[in-house]
Each structure stands twice: as C-alpha cells, then as structure tokens.
Amino acid sequence: MLEPVVTDGSTLVQFGVPLQAQADASEVIRENALLSASLWVNVALAGLSILLFVSMGRTVSTARARLIWVATLLVPLVSLVSYLGLLSGLTVSLLEMPAGHPLAGEQVFSPWGRYLTWTFSTPMILLALGLLAGTNATKLFTVITTDVGMCVTGLMAALVTSSLLFRWAFFAIGCAFFLVVLYVLLVEWPADARRAGTAEIFRTLQLLTVVLWLGYPILWALGAEGFALLDATVTSWGYSLLDVVAKYVFAFLLLRWVAANEDTVAAAQADAVGTAAIDD
Ligand code: RET
C-alpha cells in the first residue's frame, strides 16, 4: 500500500512527492496576484491560439504542410498544459539554495515546470522551422536532440541544490547545446531555405527565434535561480512575455504563410527529410 508517510514534523511525502511543499509553492502563486497574472495570461492566449490555429489549418491539405500545422498546433497545446501545471503548484517548488548563492539558505520559488515543458514545445518549433527550410533528417535530428539536451540541463541546473558549482555547470552545458541550435538556425538552415524557396519567411522567423530565444538563458541567469538580480515575479513576466511572441506570434506567422504557400512547401519536400537525408 502506498500510504502517505510523515518524514519529519513538517513534510508529508506521498509517492516521493512532498505534498506540503507543493501546497506552499502554489500558495506563493495564489498570494502574489502579479505572478499569478503572468501565468493566467498565457493560459488565455494559449487557449485562443489553439482555436485560431485549428481554424487556420483546416484548409491545409498537402502532407508536409499538414505536418508543419500539427507541430505548430502542439506549441500552444503544450503551453496550456505547462501553465496549468505551474498554476496548480504541481511543477513549481520552493528550493533551498546552496552556499555561495546570493539567496543561500533561503527558500526560492522555482518554476521548474517551465524547463520541463520546453523539452516538448521547443522541438515542435524547431521541427516546424526545419520543415519550412526544407532541411534534411540529419540536421533536424541534431537540432532537436541538442535542443532537448539544452532544456533538460536547464531543468537540472534549476533543481540541483547540493552545490552552486553544479547549478552553473549544468547551465553551461545547456548553453553549449544552445550554441549548436544557434549554429543550425544561423548557418545551415538559411542555405536550405534558399534552396527551398522559403528564404524570405524563414529569415523573419529565424530572426524572431534567435533574438527571443537568447532572452531565456539571460533571464535564467539574472533571475532568482541564478544571480538573483531579478525577483520571481519579474522573471516570470519575462518568460511569459517571451513566450507570447516566441510561441503564439511565431506560430501564427508560420501557419499563415504555410496556409497561403502550400505549393512552395510541398516542392521543398524532395530535398528534405525523405531522400537527401540518408546520404548527408
Ligand atoms: C536554459 C538554461 C540552460 C541554458 C540555456 C537555456 C535556454 C532556454 C531556451 C528556451 C526557449 C524556450 C522557448 C519556449 C517555448 O515554448 C534552459 C534557460 C541556453 C532558449 C522558446
């Protein structure tokens, strides 16, 4: 029987989840209207985006454009679940920072669910972009796996409380993964997109992606979990605003273009995931 057990005077543990800690963390959100608003705004926008994208994609009929549509639609779907996870207290924690951290010994609010769910949303963004650029399977695989590596190490950096060095070491590994993603976005895919005839829209989306994505590690480093120069509410609004443009605006622009230019997208296919991929 998986009975709840009391491990010490204050922490109730069931299935390994400290229930008291979860209640405390969700209380932090409930008691801070501004922090709470930064999350609810995204729940609302994700919901609206889902409805909008479903209707925008109804007319899309070619296989490749439909794949881009599904990937694009998954971005707000994952986002909705992600933000509900944060709001419910399930994917946020109060973590005691290690020695050497500016808030050492204090309970710091960690929205670690964000980093977890980026593991699922950012590959969708990259899949859609890569398909638009008409890239091959090797590059797509590389960029998606390194991107997942980036998010997972970001999650590890946030959750490690045993040593400050480990926190920053995981962060640094995440940045190294990010460099690979940036290289593909800035060097490899523009050339692919030129060949595929999608260079113009690709350039717009690439710029949006590179600039906004750079904001995430900067916020991580400046936020309460890093150098603690920004408090949890400001950091949360930062992520939420970045999300609005990096996810919903990005996905809207991509989907609108794909729906209007299905032929171009379909023509890029022969060069991409299917054939050239194998011998690349
Ligand atoms: C982390 C910390 C580790 C180092 C780096 C990071 C980068 C995160 C990025 C996140 C992008 C998220 C998006 C979410 C949309 O759903 C994980 C903060 C480099 C680039 C676009």
Side-chain angles (χ1 to χ4, degrees):
M1 268 297 276
L2 289 164
E3 295 282 344
V5 289
V6 177
T7 53
D8 59 39
S10 61
T11 312
L12 185 63
V13 176
Q14 188 179 38
F15 318 130
V17 180
L19 295 180
Q20 185 57 49
Q22 196 182 105
D24 288 348
S26 66
E27 209 174 290
V28 170
I29 300 177
R30 265 199 309 278
E31 282 176 357
N32 182 337
L34 215 53
L35 177 61
S36 184
S38 74
L39 306 175
W40 280 114
V41 162
N42 264 270
V43 170
L45 287 176
L48 287 175
S49 301
I50 292 166
L51 297 178
L52 179 66
F53 297 171
V54 166
S55 88
M56 283 171 82
R58 270 176 326 169
T59 55
V60 171
S61 60
T62 56
R64 193 177 181 74
R66 284 189 83 84
L67 183 53
I68 296 182
W69 175 48
V70 173
T72 312
L73 189 55
L74 274 163
V75 175
L77 277 168
V78 172
S79 188
L80 186 68
V81 177
S82 171
Y83 277 97
L84 291 176
L86 297 171
L87 278 161
S88 68
L90 178 65
T91 58
V92 293
S93 298
L94 294 172
L95 299 176
E96 191 176 317
M97 288 298 126
H101 188 278
L103 302 174
E106 286 180 42
Q107 298 282 321
V108 168
F109 177 81
S110 168
W112 55 267
R114 284 190 188 273
Y115 321 129
L116 177 70
T117 50
W118 291 345
T119 312
F120 304 100
S121 60
T122 51
M124 296 305 143
I125 294 175
L126 294 171
L127 175 66
L129 255 186
L131 289 171
L132 178 75
T135 194
N136 63 42
T138 310
K139 289 182 204 172
L140 211 47
F141 179 78
T142 308
V143 84
I144 287 179
T145 48
T146 46
D147 169 71
V148 168
M150 172 188 86
C151 297
V152 170
T153 45
L155 175 66
M156 292 163 88
L159 289 180
V160 168
T161 53
S162 60
S163 106
L164 190 65
L165 188 65
F166 265 118
R167 291 181 72 81
W168 286 110
F170 283 128
F171 181 84
I173 298 170
C175 289
F177 279 128
F178 189 34
L179 288 180
V180 178
V181 175
L182 286 178
Y183 171 79
V184 174
L185 278 173
L186 289 169
V187 181
E188 296 288 340
W189 283 358
D192 292 337
R194 266 195 300 281
R195 276 192 293 276
T198 54
E200 205 173 315
I201 179 70
F202 180 82
R203 210 173 306 118
T204 308
L205 296 174
Q206 173 216 40
L207 187 73
L208 208 66
T209 304
V210 169
V211 171
L212 292 167
W213 284 37
L214 280 169
Y216 289 84
I218 293 174
L219 261 181
W220 197 103
L222 297 183
E225 296 172 277
F227 295 118
L229 296 172
L230 305 174
D231 71 17
T233 307
V234 174
T235 313
S236 188
W237 268 106
Y239 283 135
S240 290
L241 294 177
L242 284 176
D243 272 3
V244 170
V245 189
K247 293 185 199 184
Y248 319 127
V249 174
F250 167 92
F252 171 77
L253 293 175
L254 175 57
L255 201 50
R256 193 180 57 170
W257 192 90
V258 168
N261 299 275
E262 268 199 72
D263 295 346
T264 315
V265 175
Q269 187 147 20
D271 230 17
V273 179
T275 50
I278 314 299
D279 37 72
D280 206 81

